[in-house]
Amino acid sequence: MHINAYSWLGEKELFDREALRRLPDRPRPPVTAEDEEEYRTRVDTFRRSELPPLETSLWLLKTPALIRATFEEPKDATAWLGRELTAHAPGFLSRQEADTARLARLVTTATDRLAHGTDVSFGCYLGRTSFLSLALVTCAPNRWYPDLPCPEHGHPGPGGPRL
């Protein structure tokens, strides 16, 4: 197992458009060629979008260009998370969110979760209209989607991807 790190900073209004962050549903039978083409186009759009997916594990379907870093050890991955949180803390809306003891607890909890093969996702407002999303996704295999290959390394899961 290794861990891919992802970050996104953008307009909260765009982040709130959940339809853009959701993997499209497969068409229901009977499926026409047009239905299949539209579905494939929507999946491709989802994959190329920089927006965080609704399900953290589905970052693995995104383009490898969105991976900010890759780690072999949970502590190294959460050290990255800690650096990101610290760098953005001055922009958090409340002092409570930016509290260093709180951020340290988040990193400790994230380390424990990653050690057990669980993905980590954190988001917060920066200013009035911006949103920061940070994610650490376990890969090869992922606990929730073990069949998905690693986007960067191409390590396939046991049964290959199912889209």
Side-chain angles (χ1 to χ4, degrees):
M1 177 184 80
H2 64 270
I3 302 155
N4 291 336
Y6 298 89
S7 66
W8 179 84
L9 176 62
E11 290 298 314
K12 177 70 169 104
E13 182 181 322
L14 186 58
F15 182 82
D16 286 341
R17 295 177 62 193
E18 289 185 3
L20 298 175
R21 300 175 48 222
R22 183 177 288 115
L23 184 64
D25 292 328
R26 275 203 158 285
R28 298 184 192 272
V31 179
T32 65
E34 291 82 18
D35 293 337
E36 188 63 29
E37 180 63 29
E38 179 181 340
Y39 170 73
R40 295 214 179 275
T41 299
R42 292 177 64 211
V43 167
D44 187 55
T45 300
F46 174 84
R47 287 180 178 212
R48 287 185 288 113
S49 170
E50 293 182 9
L51 282 170
L54 286 179
E55 293 180 66
T56 303
S57 300
L58 294 182
W59 273 110
L60 297 177
L61 291 175
K62 301 282 190 165
T63 176
L66 298 177
I67 298 171
R68 303 298 183 227
T70 300
F71 305 96
E72 298 299 322
E73 296 296 327
K75 285 190 177 196
D76 295 334
T78 55
W80 172 88
L81 177 66
R83 288 189 301 274
E84 290 294 311
L85 290 170
T86 300
H88 291 286
F92 291 176
L93 279 182
S94 73
R95 279 187 259 172
Q96 182 181 5
E97 282 184 324
D99 178 66
T100 55
R102 177 182 175 273
L103 297 178
R105 284 190 306 274
L106 283 172
V107 169
T108 299
T109 300
T111 304
D112 291 341
R113 289 180 64 194
L114 289 172
H116 289 95
T118 304
D119 300 329
V120 172
S121 182
F122 178 79
C124 62
Y125 287 98
L126 295 177
R128 292 182 172 244
T129 62
S130 295
F131 192 81
L132 172 67
S133 173
L134 301 169
L136 295 168
V137 181
T138 59
C139 191
N142 179 271
R143 182 178 193 164
W144 308 113
Y145 290 95
D147 293 342
L148 289 178
C150 175
E152 186 172 51
H153 299 106
H155 297 210
R162 290 185 191 155
L163 290 180

PDB file of all heavy atoms in Angstrom, residues 26-62:
ATOM      1  N   ARG A  26     -24.174   4.561 -14.247  1.00  0.00           N
ATOM      2  CA  ARG A  26     -24.277   3.821 -15.526  1.00  0.00           C
ATOM      3  C   ARG A  26     -25.696   3.939 -16.032  1.00  0.00           C
ATOM      4  O   ARG A  26     -26.636   3.972 -15.240  1.00  0.00           O
ATOM      5  CB  ARG A  26     -23.955   2.344 -15.305  1.00  0.00           C
ATOM      6  CG  ARG A  26     -22.489   2.050 -15.363  1.00  0.00           C
ATOM      7  CD  ARG A  26     -22.294   0.569 -15.699  1.00  0.00           C
ATOM      8  NE  ARG A  26     -21.007   0.330 -16.266  1.00  0.00           N
ATOM      9  CZ  ARG A  26     -20.641   0.641 -17.507  1.00  0.00           C
ATOM     10  NH1 ARG A  26     -21.472   1.197 -18.310  1.00  0.00           N
ATOM     11  NH2 ARG A  26     -19.436   0.380 -17.933  1.00  0.00           N
ATOM     12  N   PRO A  27     -25.874   3.976 -17.356  1.00  0.00           N
ATOM     13  CA  PRO A  27     -27.242   4.011 -17.889  1.00  0.00           C
ATOM     14  C   PRO A  27     -27.974   2.711 -17.572  1.00  0.00           C
ATOM     15  O   PRO A  27     -27.367   1.641 -17.494  1.00  0.00           O
ATOM     16  CB  PRO A  27     -27.044   4.185 -19.398  1.00  0.00           C
ATOM     17  CG  PRO A  27     -25.601   4.011 -19.662  1.00  0.00           C
ATOM     18  CD  PRO A  27     -24.852   4.019 -18.381  1.00  0.00           C
ATOM     19  N   ARG A  28     -29.272   2.820 -17.383  1.00  0.00           N
ATOM     20  CA  ARG A  28     -30.091   1.634 -17.092  1.00  0.00           C
ATOM     21  C   ARG A  28     -30.522   0.974 -18.399  1.00  0.00           C
ATOM     22  O   ARG A  28     -30.783   1.653 -19.379  1.00  0.00           O
ATOM     23  CB  ARG A  28     -31.322   2.029 -16.293  1.00  0.00           C
ATOM     24  CG  ARG A  28     -30.976   2.626 -14.943  1.00  0.00           C
ATOM     25  CD  ARG A  28     -32.263   2.909 -14.170  1.00  0.00           C
ATOM     26  NE  ARG A  28     -32.012   3.721 -13.018  1.00  0.00           N
ATOM     27  CZ  ARG A  28     -31.676   3.268 -11.826  1.00  0.00           C
ATOM     28  NH1 ARG A  28     -31.537   1.979 -11.650  1.00  0.00           N
ATOM     29  NH2 ARG A  28     -31.478   4.080 -10.816  1.00  0.00           N
ATOM     30  N   PRO A  29     -30.605  -0.339 -18.395  1.00  0.00           N
ATOM     31  CA  PRO A  29     -31.038  -1.061 -19.617  1.00  0.00           C
ATOM     32  C   PRO A  29     -32.473  -0.685 -19.983  1.00  0.00           C
ATOM     33  O   PRO A  29     -33.261  -0.386 -19.099  1.00  0.00           O
ATOM     34  CB  PRO A  29     -30.951  -2.536 -19.216  1.00  0.00           C
ATOM     35  CG  PRO A  29     -30.065  -2.568 -18.020  1.00  0.00           C
ATOM     36  CD  PRO A  29     -30.204  -1.246 -17.336  1.00  0.00           C
ATOM     37  N   PRO A  30     -32.805  -0.728 -21.233  1.00  0.00           N
ATOM     38  CA  PRO A  30     -31.925  -1.054 -22.367  1.00  0.00           C
ATOM     39  C   PRO A  30     -31.010   0.127 -22.688  1.00  0.00           C
ATOM     40  O   PRO A  30     -31.430   1.271 -22.678  1.00  0.00           O
ATOM     41  CB  PRO A  30     -32.900  -1.321 -23.517  1.00  0.00           C
ATOM     42  CG  PRO A  30     -34.104  -0.505 -23.175  1.00  0.00           C
ATOM     43  CD  PRO A  30     -34.180  -0.464 -21.653  1.00  0.00           C
ATOM     44  N   VAL A  31     -29.748  -0.161 -22.938  1.00  0.00           N
ATOM     45  CA  VAL A  31     -28.734   0.868 -23.169  1.00  0.00           C
ATOM     46  C   VAL A  31     -28.460   0.989 -24.658  1.00  0.00           C
ATOM     47  O   VAL A  31     -28.125   0.007 -25.322  1.00  0.00           O
ATOM     48  CB  VAL A  31     -27.428   0.513 -22.417  1.00  0.00           C
ATOM     49  CG1 VAL A  31     -26.371   1.558 -22.670  1.00  0.00           C
ATOM     50  CG2 VAL A  31     -27.698   0.358 -20.931  1.00  0.00           C
ATOM     51  N   THR A  32     -28.571   2.210 -25.136  1.00  0.00           N
ATOM     52  CA  THR A  32     -28.276   2.465 -26.551  1.00  0.00           C
ATOM     53  C   THR A  32     -26.820   2.875 -26.686  1.00  0.00           C
ATOM     54  O   THR A  32     -26.153   3.201 -25.696  1.00  0.00           O
ATOM     55  CB  THR A  32     -29.167   3.588 -27.099  1.00  0.00           C
ATOM     56  OG1 THR A  32     -28.818   4.804 -26.409  1.00  0.00           O
ATOM     57  CG2 THR A  32     -30.659   3.287 -26.909  1.00  0.00           C
ATOM     58  N   ALA A  33     -26.346   2.900 -27.899  1.00  0.00           N
ATOM     59  CA  ALA A  33     -24.978   3.363 -28.168  1.00  0.00           C
ATOM     60  C   ALA A  33     -24.820   4.820 -27.726  1.00  0.00           C
ATOM     61  O   ALA A  33     -23.771   5.208 -27.205  1.00  0.00           O
ATOM     62  CB  ALA A  33     -24.642   3.199 -29.645  1.00  0.00           C
ATOM     63  N   GLU A  34     -25.869   5.607 -27.904  1.00  0.00           N
ATOM     64  CA  GLU A  34     -25.824   7.018 -27.491  1.00  0.00           C
ATOM     65  C   GLU A  34     -25.726   7.141 -25.966  1.00  0.00           C
ATOM     66  O   GLU A  34     -25.003   7.985 -25.452  1.00  0.00           O
ATOM     67  CB  GLU A  34     -27.057   7.778 -27.998  1.00  0.00           C
ATOM     68  CG  GLU A  34     -27.094   7.974 -29.497  1.00  0.00           C
ATOM     69  CD  GLU A  34     -27.640   6.734 -30.234  1.00  0.00           C
ATOM     70  OE1 GLU A  34     -28.292   5.869 -29.609  1.00  0.00           O
ATOM     71  OE2 GLU A  34     -27.364   6.635 -31.442  1.00  0.00           O
ATOM     72  N   ASP A  35     -26.480   6.266 -25.267  1.00  0.00           N
ATOM     73  CA  ASP A  35     -26.411   6.264 -23.801  1.00  0.00           C
ATOM     74  C   ASP A  35     -24.989   5.947 -23.331  1.00  0.00           C
ATOM     75  O   ASP A  35     -24.457   6.598 -22.430  1.00  0.00           O
ATOM     76  CB  ASP A  35     -27.348   5.209 -23.205  1.00  0.00           C
ATOM     77  CG  ASP A  35     -28.816   5.512 -23.425  1.00  0.00           C
ATOM     78  OD1 ASP A  35     -29.165   6.686 -23.635  1.00  0.00           O
ATOM     79  OD2 ASP A  35     -29.616   4.545 -23.379  1.00  0.00           O
ATOM     80  N   GLU A  36     -24.396   4.943 -23.942  1.00  0.00           N
ATOM     81  CA  GLU A  36     -23.045   4.525 -23.562  1.00  0.00           C
ATOM     82  C   GLU A  36     -22.028   5.624 -23.865  1.00  0.00           C
ATOM     83  O   GLU A  36     -21.128   5.893 -23.060  1.00  0.00           O
ATOM     84  CB  GLU A  36     -22.671   3.226 -24.276  1.00  0.00           C
ATOM     85  CG  GLU A  36     -21.380   2.612 -23.809  1.00  0.00           C
ATOM     86  CD  GLU A  36     -21.397   2.178 -22.348  1.00  0.00           C
ATOM     87  OE1 GLU A  36     -22.454   1.824 -21.808  1.00  0.00           O
ATOM     88  OE2 GLU A  36     -20.302   2.208 -21.739  1.00  0.00           O
ATOM     89  N   GLU A  37     -22.174   6.277 -25.007  1.00  0.00           N
ATOM     90  CA  GLU A  37     -21.259   7.371 -25.376  1.00  0.00           C
ATOM     91  C   GLU A  37     -21.396   8.537 -24.407  1.00  0.00           C
ATOM     92  O   GLU A  37     -20.395   9.106 -23.965  1.00  0.00           O
ATOM     93  CB  GLU A  37     -21.532   7.826 -26.816  1.00  0.00           C
ATOM     94  CG  GLU A  37     -20.637   8.956 -27.282  1.00  0.00           C
ATOM     95  CD  GLU A  37     -19.163   8.588 -27.319  1.00  0.00           C
ATOM     96  OE1 GLU A  37     -18.835   7.408 -27.515  1.00  0.00           O
ATOM     97  OE2 GLU A  37     -18.331   9.499 -27.139  1.00  0.00           O
ATOM     98  N   GLU A  38     -22.618   8.890 -24.058  1.00  0.00           N
ATOM     99  CA  GLU A  38     -22.840   9.987 -23.108  1.00  0.00           C
ATOM    100  C   GLU A  38     -22.242   9.633 -21.742  1.00  0.00           C
ATOM    101  O   GLU A  38     -21.587  10.461 -21.111  1.00  0.00           O
ATOM    102  CB  GLU A  38     -24.334  10.278 -22.949  1.00  0.00           C
ATOM    103  CG  GLU A  38     -24.597  11.391 -21.956  1.00  0.00           C
ATOM    104  CD  GLU A  38     -26.074  11.675 -21.757  1.00  0.00           C
ATOM    105  OE1 GLU A  38     -26.894  11.313 -22.616  1.00  0.00           O
ATOM    106  OE2 GLU A  38     -26.392  12.266 -20.709  1.00  0.00           O
ATOM    107  N   TYR A  39     -22.431   8.394 -21.302  1.00  0.00           N
ATOM    108  CA  TYR A  39     -21.872   7.943 -20.034  1.00  0.00           C
ATOM    109  C   TYR A  39     -20.346   8.043 -20.050  1.00  0.00           C
ATOM    110  O   TYR A  39     -19.732   8.581 -19.126  1.00  0.00           O
ATOM    111  CB  TYR A  39     -22.309   6.503 -19.737  1.00  0.00           C
ATOM    112  CG  TYR A  39     -21.579   5.883 -18.581  1.00  0.00           C
ATOM    113  CD1 TYR A  39     -21.847   6.284 -17.276  1.00  0.00           C
ATOM    114  CD2 TYR A  39     -20.606   4.907 -18.788  1.00  0.00           C
ATOM    115  CE1 TYR A  39     -21.164   5.719 -16.210  1.00  0.00           C
ATOM    116  CE2 TYR A  39     -19.925   4.345 -17.718  1.00  0.00           C
ATOM    117  CZ  TYR A  39     -20.207   4.754 -16.436  1.00  0.00           C
ATOM    118  OH  TYR A  39     -19.522   4.199 -15.379  1.00  0.00           O
ATOM    119  N   ARG A  40     -19.720   7.556 -21.095  1.00  0.00           N
ATOM    120  CA  ARG A  40     -18.255   7.599 -21.194  1.00  0.00           C
ATOM    121  C   ARG A  40     -17.738   9.039 -21.211  1.00  0.00           C
ATOM    122  O   ARG A  40     -16.699   9.343 -20.625  1.00  0.00           O
ATOM    123  CB  ARG A  40     -17.780   6.828 -22.412  1.00  0.00           C
ATOM    124  CG  ARG A  40     -18.080   5.341 -22.292  1.00  0.00           C
ATOM    125  CD  ARG A  40     -17.010   4.507 -22.948  1.00  0.00           C
ATOM    126  NE  ARG A  40     -17.296   3.100 -22.810  1.00  0.00           N
ATOM    127  CZ  ARG A  40     -16.960   2.370 -21.754  1.00  0.00           C
ATOM    128  NH1 ARG A  40     -16.321   2.924 -20.769  1.00  0.00           N
ATOM    129  NH2 ARG A  40     -17.250   1.084 -21.695  1.00  0.00           N
ATOM    130  N   THR A  41     -18.461   9.926 -21.873  1.00  0.00           N
ATOM    131  CA  THR A  41     -18.092  11.345 -21.908  1.00  0.00           C
ATOM    132  C   THR A  41     -18.170  11.945 -20.504  1.00  0.00           C
ATOM    133  O   THR A  41     -17.278  12.692 -20.084  1.00  0.00           O
ATOM    134  CB  THR A  41     -18.998  12.119 -22.881  1.00  0.00           C
ATOM    135  OG1 THR A  41     -18.822  11.569 -24.179  1.00  0.00           O
ATOM    136  CG2 THR A  41     -18.677  13.602 -22.888  1.00  0.00           C
ATOM    137  N   ARG A  42     -19.229  11.614 -19.770  1.00  0.00           N
ATOM    138  CA  ARG A  42     -19.393  12.128 -18.411  1.00  0.00           C
ATOM    139  C   ARG A  42     -18.324  11.577 -17.472  1.00  0.00           C
ATOM    140  O   ARG A  42     -17.812  12.302 -16.612  1.00  0.00           O
ATOM    141  CB  ARG A  42     -20.796  11.835 -17.909  1.00  0.00           C
ATOM    142  CG  ARG A  42     -21.843  12.664 -18.695  1.00  0.00           C
ATOM    143  CD  ARG A  42     -23.267  12.368 -18.304  1.00  0.00           C
ATOM    144  NE  ARG A  42     -23.492  12.733 -16.929  1.00  0.00           N
ATOM    145  CZ  ARG A  42     -24.359  12.113 -16.135  1.00  0.00           C
ATOM    146  NH1 ARG A  42     -25.074  11.112 -16.587  1.00  0.00           N
ATOM    147  NH2 ARG A  42     -24.516  12.501 -14.890  1.00  0.00           N
ATOM    148  N   VAL A  43     -17.964  10.310 -17.630  1.00  0.00           N
ATOM    149  CA  VAL A  43     -16.885   9.728 -16.820  1.00  0.00           C
ATOM    150  C   VAL A  43     -15.567  10.428 -17.134  1.00  0.00           C
ATOM    151  O   VAL A  43     -14.799  10.780 -16.231  1.00  0.00           O
ATOM    152  CB  VAL A  43     -16.764   8.197 -17.032  1.00  0.00           C
ATOM    153  CG1 VAL A  43     -15.464   7.655 -16.451  1.00  0.00           C
ATOM    154  CG2 VAL A  43     -17.960   7.476 -16.430  1.00  0.00           C
ATOM    155  N   ASP A  44     -15.297  10.673 -18.410  1.00  0.00           N
ATOM    156  CA  ASP A  44     -14.067  11.356 -18.801  1.00  0.00           C
ATOM    157  C   ASP A  44     -14.021  12.765 -18.217  1.00  0.00           C
ATOM    158  O   ASP A  44     -12.976  13.215 -17.734  1.00  0.00           O
ATOM    159  CB  ASP A  44     -13.958  11.395 -20.329  1.00  0.00           C
ATOM    160  CG  ASP A  44     -12.630  11.950 -20.781  1.00  0.00           C
ATOM    161  OD1 ASP A  44     -11.581  11.415 -20.355  1.00  0.00           O
ATOM    162  OD2 ASP A  44     -12.640  12.937 -21.557  1.00  0.00           O
ATOM    163  N   THR A  45     -15.150  13.459 -18.229  1.00  0.00           N
ATOM    164  CA  THR A  45     -15.226  14.802 -17.642  1.00  0.00           C
ATOM    165  C   THR A  45     -14.946  14.740 -16.144  1.00  0.00           C
ATOM    166  O   THR A  45     -14.201  15.569 -15.609  1.00  0.00           O
ATOM    167  CB  THR A  45     -16.606  15.426 -17.914  1.00  0.00           C
ATOM    168  OG1 THR A  45     -16.794  15.520 -19.334  1.00  0.00           O
ATOM    169  CG2 THR A  45     -16.732  16.803 -17.284  1.00  0.00           C
ATOM    170  N   PHE A  46     -15.530  13.758 -15.474  1.00  0.00           N
ATOM    171  CA  PHE A  46     -15.285  13.565 -14.042  1.00  0.00           C
ATOM    172  C   PHE A  46     -13.797  13.332 -13.783  1.00  0.00           C
ATOM    173  O   PHE A  46     -13.212  13.933 -12.882  1.00  0.00           O
ATOM    174  CB  PHE A  46     -16.100  12.368 -13.533  1.00  0.00           C
ATOM    175  CG  PHE A  46     -15.802  11.992 -12.110  1.00  0.00           C
ATOM    176  CD1 PHE A  46     -16.431  12.638 -11.071  1.00  0.00           C
ATOM    177  CD2 PHE A  46     -14.892  10.977 -11.820  1.00  0.00           C
ATOM    178  CE1 PHE A  46     -16.160  12.288  -9.748  1.00  0.00           C
ATOM    179  CE2 PHE A  46     -14.615  10.623 -10.509  1.00  0.00           C
ATOM    180  CZ  PHE A  46     -15.247  11.283  -9.470  1.00  0.00           C
ATOM    181  N   ARG A  47     -13.177  12.481 -14.572  1.00  0.00           N
ATOM    182  CA  ARG A  47     -11.755  12.161 -14.379  1.00  0.00           C
ATOM    183  C   ARG A  47     -10.842  13.366 -14.573  1.00  0.00           C
ATOM    184  O   ARG A  47      -9.841  13.511 -13.885  1.00  0.00           O
ATOM    185  CB  ARG A  47     -11.339  11.053 -15.338  1.00  0.00           C
ATOM    186  CG  ARG A  47     -11.870   9.713 -14.953  1.00  0.00           C
ATOM    187  CD  ARG A  47     -11.420   8.659 -15.930  1.00  0.00           C
ATOM    188  NE  ARG A  47     -11.914   7.372 -15.489  1.00  0.00           N
ATOM    189  CZ  ARG A  47     -11.293   6.232 -15.687  1.00  0.00           C
ATOM    190  NH1 ARG A  47     -10.159   6.197 -16.340  1.00  0.00           N
ATOM    191  NH2 ARG A  47     -11.798   5.117 -15.245  1.00  0.00           N
ATOM    192  N   ARG A  48     -11.169  14.217 -15.522  1.00  0.00           N
ATOM    193  CA  ARG A  48     -10.312  15.371 -15.815  1.00  0.00           C
ATOM    194  C   ARG A  48     -10.573  16.563 -14.895  1.00  0.00           C
ATOM    195  O   ARG A  48      -9.743  17.457 -14.792  1.00  0.00           O
ATOM    196  CB  ARG A  48     -10.479  15.784 -17.270  1.00  0.00           C
ATOM    197  CG  ARG A  48      -9.816  14.789 -18.233  1.00  0.00           C
ATOM    198  CD  ARG A  48      -9.874  15.239 -19.685  1.00  0.00           C
ATOM    199  NE  ARG A  48     -11.243  15.113 -20.201  1.00  0.00           N
ATOM    200  CZ  ARG A  48     -12.010  16.140 -20.551  1.00  0.00           C
ATOM    201  NH1 ARG A  48     -11.564  17.349 -20.497  1.00  0.00           N
ATOM    202  NH2 ARG A  48     -13.236  15.944 -20.984  1.00  0.00           N
ATOM    203  N   SER A  49     -11.699  16.568 -14.216  1.00  0.00           N
ATOM    204  CA  SER A  49     -12.045  17.674 -13.330  1.00  0.00           C
ATOM    205  C   SER A  49     -11.104  17.719 -12.129  1.00  0.00           C
ATOM    206  O   SER A  49     -10.779  16.695 -11.541  1.00  0.00           O
ATOM    207  CB  SER A  49     -13.484  17.510 -12.846  1.00  0.00           C
ATOM    208  OG  SER A  49     -13.765  18.434 -11.814  1.00  0.00           O
ATOM    209  N   GLU A  50     -10.700  18.920 -11.761  1.00  0.00           N
ATOM    210  CA  GLU A  50      -9.844  19.100 -10.588  1.00  0.00           C
ATOM    211  C   GLU A  50     -10.647  19.119  -9.293  1.00  0.00           C
ATOM    212  O   GLU A  50     -10.071  19.052  -8.210  1.00  0.00           O
ATOM    213  CB  GLU A  50      -9.048  20.392 -10.714  1.00  0.00           C
ATOM    214  CG  GLU A  50      -8.036  20.350 -11.845  1.00  0.00           C
ATOM    215  CD  GLU A  50      -7.205  21.614 -11.937  1.00  0.00           C
ATOM    216  OE1 GLU A  50      -7.287  22.467 -11.024  1.00  0.00           O
ATOM    217  OE2 GLU A  50      -6.468  21.735 -12.917  1.00  0.00           O
ATOM    218  N   LEU A  51     -11.973  19.208  -9.400  1.00  0.00           N
ATOM    219  CA  LEU A  51     -12.815  19.247  -8.206  1.00  0.00           C
ATOM    220  C   LEU A  51     -12.697  17.954  -7.407  1.00  0.00           C
ATOM    221  O   LEU A  51     -12.642  16.868  -7.983  1.00  0.00           O
ATOM    222  CB  LEU A  51     -14.283  19.433  -8.601  1.00  0.00           C
ATOM    223  CG  LEU A  51     -14.705  20.834  -8.990  1.00  0.00           C
ATOM    224  CD1 LEU A  51     -16.102  20.813  -9.579  1.00  0.00           C
ATOM    225  CD2 LEU A  51     -14.648  21.748  -7.785  1.00  0.00           C
ATOM    226  N   PRO A  52     -12.675  18.053  -6.084  1.00  0.00           N
ATOM    227  CA  PRO A  52     -12.628  16.844  -5.267  1.00  0.00           C
ATOM    228  C   PRO A  52     -13.894  16.008  -5.475  1.00  0.00           C
ATOM    229  O   PRO A  52     -14.993  16.552  -5.528  1.00  0.00           O
ATOM    230  CB  PRO A  52     -12.584  17.385  -3.831  1.00  0.00           C
ATOM    231  CG  PRO A  52     -12.123  18.789  -3.956  1.00  0.00           C
ATOM    232  CD  PRO A  52     -12.616  19.270  -5.274  1.00  0.00           C
ATOM    233  N   PRO A  53     -13.746  14.697  -5.578  1.00  0.00           N
ATOM    234  CA  PRO A  53     -14.933  13.854  -5.712  1.00  0.00           C
ATOM    235  C   PRO A  53     -15.697  13.790  -4.391  1.00  0.00           C
ATOM    236  O   PRO A  53     -15.121  14.016  -3.319  1.00  0.00           O
ATOM    237  CB  PRO A  53     -14.352  12.493  -6.082  1.00  0.00           C
ATOM    238  CG  PRO A  53     -12.979  12.504  -5.506  1.00  0.00           C
ATOM    239  CD  PRO A  53     -12.508  13.936  -5.582  1.00  0.00           C
ATOM    240  N   LEU A  54     -16.989  13.472  -4.462  1.00  0.00           N
ATOM    241  CA  LEU A  54     -17.777  13.329  -3.238  1.00  0.00           C
ATOM    242  C   LEU A  54     -17.248  12.205  -2.365  1.00  0.00           C
ATOM    243  O   LEU A  54     -17.250  12.310  -1.139  1.00  0.00           O
ATOM    244  CB  LEU A  54     -19.248  13.059  -3.572  1.00  0.00           C
ATOM    245  CG  LEU A  54     -20.038  14.255  -4.084  1.00  0.00           C
ATOM    246  CD1 LEU A  54     -21.459  13.851  -4.409  1.00  0.00           C
ATOM    247  CD2 LEU A  54     -20.033  15.384  -3.075  1.00  0.00           C
ATOM    248  N   GLU A  55     -16.802  11.130  -2.975  1.00  0.00           N
ATOM    249  CA  GLU A  55     -16.210  10.017  -2.232  1.00  0.00           C
ATOM    250  C   GLU A  55     -14.695  10.133  -2.332  1.00  0.00           C
ATOM    251  O   GLU A  55     -14.129  10.087  -3.427  1.00  0.00           O
ATOM    252  CB  GLU A  55     -16.647   8.682  -2.826  1.00  0.00           C
ATOM    253  CG  GLU A  55     -18.115   8.386  -2.674  1.00  0.00           C
ATOM    254  CD  GLU A  55     -18.469   7.055  -3.283  1.00  0.00           C
ATOM    255  OE1 GLU A  55     -17.992   6.011  -2.762  1.00  0.00           O
ATOM    256  OE2 GLU A  55     -19.200   7.040  -4.283  1.00  0.00           O
ATOM    257  N   THR A  56     -14.044  10.263  -1.199  1.00  0.00           N
ATOM    258  CA  THR A  56     -12.597  10.493  -1.161  1.00  0.00           C
ATOM    259  C   THR A  56     -11.826   9.473  -1.989  1.00  0.00           C
ATOM    260  O   THR A  56     -10.911   9.837  -2.737  1.00  0.00           O
ATOM    261  CB  THR A  56     -12.108  10.488   0.296  1.00  0.00           C
ATOM    262  OG1 THR A  56     -12.837  11.475   1.031  1.00  0.00           O
ATOM    263  CG2 THR A  56     -10.621  10.791   0.382  1.00  0.00           C
ATOM    264  N   SER A  57     -12.187   8.210  -1.911  1.00  0.00           N
ATOM    265  CA  SER A  57     -11.462   7.156  -2.630  1.00  0.00           C
ATOM    266  C   SER A  57     -11.477   7.351  -4.143  1.00  0.00           C
ATOM    267  O   SER A  57     -10.582   6.866  -4.841  1.00  0.00           O
ATOM    268  CB  SER A  57     -12.055   5.785  -2.307  1.00  0.00           C
ATOM    269  OG  SER A  57     -11.972   5.523  -0.936  1.00  0.00           O
ATOM    270  N   LEU A  58     -12.476   8.055  -4.639  1.00  0.00           N
ATOM    271  CA  LEU A  58     -12.593   8.217  -6.096  1.00  0.00           C
ATOM    272  C   LEU A  58     -11.589   9.211  -6.674  1.00  0.00           C
ATOM    273  O   LEU A  58     -11.534   9.400  -7.897  1.00  0.00           O
ATOM    274  CB  LEU A  58     -14.028   8.566  -6.487  1.00  0.00           C
ATOM    275  CG  LEU A  58     -15.031   7.444  -6.219  1.00  0.00           C
ATOM    276  CD1 LEU A  58     -16.424   7.839  -6.672  1.00  0.00           C
ATOM    277  CD2 LEU A  58     -14.598   6.139  -6.881  1.00  0.00           C
ATOM    278  N   TRP A  59     -10.750   9.800  -5.823  1.00  0.00           N
ATOM    279  CA  TRP A  59      -9.610  10.541  -6.363  1.00  0.00           C
ATOM    280  C   TRP A  59      -8.784   9.614  -7.259  1.00  0.00           C
ATOM    281  O   TRP A  59      -8.124  10.050  -8.189  1.00  0.00           O
ATOM    282  CB  TRP A  59      -8.712  11.071  -5.238  1.00  0.00           C
ATOM    283  CG  TRP A  59      -9.097  12.407  -4.659  1.00  0.00           C
ATOM    284  CD1 TRP A  59      -9.600  12.649  -3.421  1.00  0.00           C
ATOM    285  CD2 TRP A  59      -8.953  13.691  -5.280  1.00  0.00           C
ATOM    286  NE1 TRP A  59      -9.792  13.992  -3.241  1.00  0.00           N
ATOM    287  CE2 TRP A  59      -9.397  14.655  -4.361  1.00  0.00           C
ATOM    288  CE3 TRP A  59      -8.499  14.108  -6.530  1.00  0.00           C
ATOM    289  CZ2 TRP A  59      -9.399  16.016  -4.643  1.00  0.00           C
ATOM    290  CZ3 TRP A  59      -8.494  15.472  -6.814  1.00  0.00           C
ATOM    291  CH2 TRP A  59      -8.945  16.404  -5.879  1.00  0.00           C
ATOM    292  N   LEU A  60      -8.816   8.311  -6.967  1.00  0.00           N
ATOM    293  CA  LEU A  60      -8.030   7.337  -7.732  1.00  0.00           C
ATOM    294  C   LEU A  60      -8.462   7.270  -9.198  1.00  0.00           C
ATOM    295  O   LEU A  60      -7.710   6.775 -10.041  1.00  0.00           O
ATOM    296  CB  LEU A  60      -8.119   5.948  -7.099  1.00  0.00           C
ATOM    297  CG  LEU A  60      -7.542   5.828  -5.692  1.00  0.00           C
ATOM    298  CD1 LEU A  60      -7.757   4.430  -5.144  1.00  0.00           C
ATOM    299  CD2 LEU A  60      -6.065   6.207  -5.672  1.00  0.00           C
ATOM    300  N   LEU A  61      -9.646   7.753  -9.518  1.00  0.00           N
ATOM    301  CA  LEU A  61     -10.101   7.792 -10.913  1.00  0.00           C
ATOM    302  C   LEU A  61      -9.621   9.041 -11.640  1.00  0.00           C
ATOM    303  O   LEU A  61      -9.719   9.123 -12.860  1.00  0.00           O
ATOM    304  CB  LEU A  61     -11.633   7.737 -10.978  1.00  0.00           C
ATOM    305  CG  LEU A  61     -12.272   6.429 -10.574  1.00  0.00           C
ATOM    306  CD1 LEU A  61     -13.792   6.573 -10.586  1.00  0.00           C
ATOM    307  CD2 LEU A  61     -11.837   5.310 -11.509  1.00  0.00           C
ATOM    308  N   LYS A  62      -9.120   9.998 -10.906  1.00  0.00           N
ATOM    309  CA  LYS A  62      -8.700  11.266 -11.498  1.00  0.00           C
ATOM    310  C   LYS A  62      -7.332  11.124 -12.182  1.00  0.00           C
ATOM    311  O   LYS A  62      -6.588  10.187 -11.944  1.00  0.00           O
ATOM    312  CB  LYS A  62      -8.624  12.346 -10.409  1.00  0.00           C
ATOM    313  CG  LYS A  62      -9.925  12.592  -9.663  1.00  0.00           C
ATOM    314  CD  LYS A  62     -10.856  13.431 -10.468  1.00  0.00           C
ATOM    315  CE  LYS A  62     -12.051  13.873  -9.635  1.00  0.00           C
ATOM    316  NZ  LYS A  62     -12.767  14.954 -10.260  1.00  0.00           N
TER     317      LYS A  62
END
